[in-house]
Amino acid sequence: MEPMRLIEPSPGKYSLLLDAGTTAVDDVIAGLGHEPNGYFWEGVAQLLVSTEAPALEGRFSYDPEGGMFCAYGTDREALEDLADRMAAVASDAGRIRELVELAKANGFEFDD
């Protein structure tokens, strides 16, 4: 799950976190013309859900900031699934390139 962190700030409520600017693909993201901030990673999460895991749609909410990605909700299983998917992207330069190209092809714009 690294670099993702899943915490339980109160009983039954979970937050999935990623400190922006700390991943192995930050330089690749910048090279693709994006800023590896929390808003960019929200876009990655949205793309992953819409293209690979539509069953996750609506099972959590997003609340990113410039320095951090955050998804939260009560569905720990859904957040764990998203964490695994995002962790794979955050450590694979080829995968992040693929997602940015997919976004371009589909007219998706990252809010970074």
Side-chain angles (χ1 to χ4, degrees):
M1 186 182 295
E2 186 72 28
M4 310 302 297
R5 295 185 329 271
L6 185 62
I7 63 170
E8 187 175 11
S10 61
K13 296 183 180 182
Y14 304 94
S15 294
L16 177 63
L17 307 172
L18 169 66
D19 293 323
T22 64
T23 73
V25 296
D26 289 344
D27 290 341
V28 175
I29 293 167
L32 292 169
H34 295 282
E35 186 175 337
N37 61 26
Y39 303 106
F40 175 83
W41 285 104
E42 177 187 9
V44 169
Q46 291 172 344
L47 273 172
L48 289 170
V49 169
S50 68
T51 61
E52 297 178 11
L56 296 179
E57 187 68 46
R59 293 174 63 186
F60 46 78
S61 299
Y62 301 104
D63 187 21
E65 298 176 3
M68 181 185 302
F69 165 80
C70 177
Y72 66 93
T74 58
D75 190 336
R76 181 182 181 103
E77 182 180 305
L79 289 167
E80 287 174 340
D81 187 335
L82 180 63
D84 291 341
R85 293 171 189 278
M86 289 187 68
V89 171
S91 62
D92 185 338
R95 186 77 173 101
I96 197 70
R97 283 187 188 97
E98 179 183 288
L99 281 175
V100 170
E101 287 302 315
L102 176 65
K104 282 183 191 178
N106 290 329
F108 180 88
E109 295 206 18
F110 291 96
D111 184 21
D112 59 337

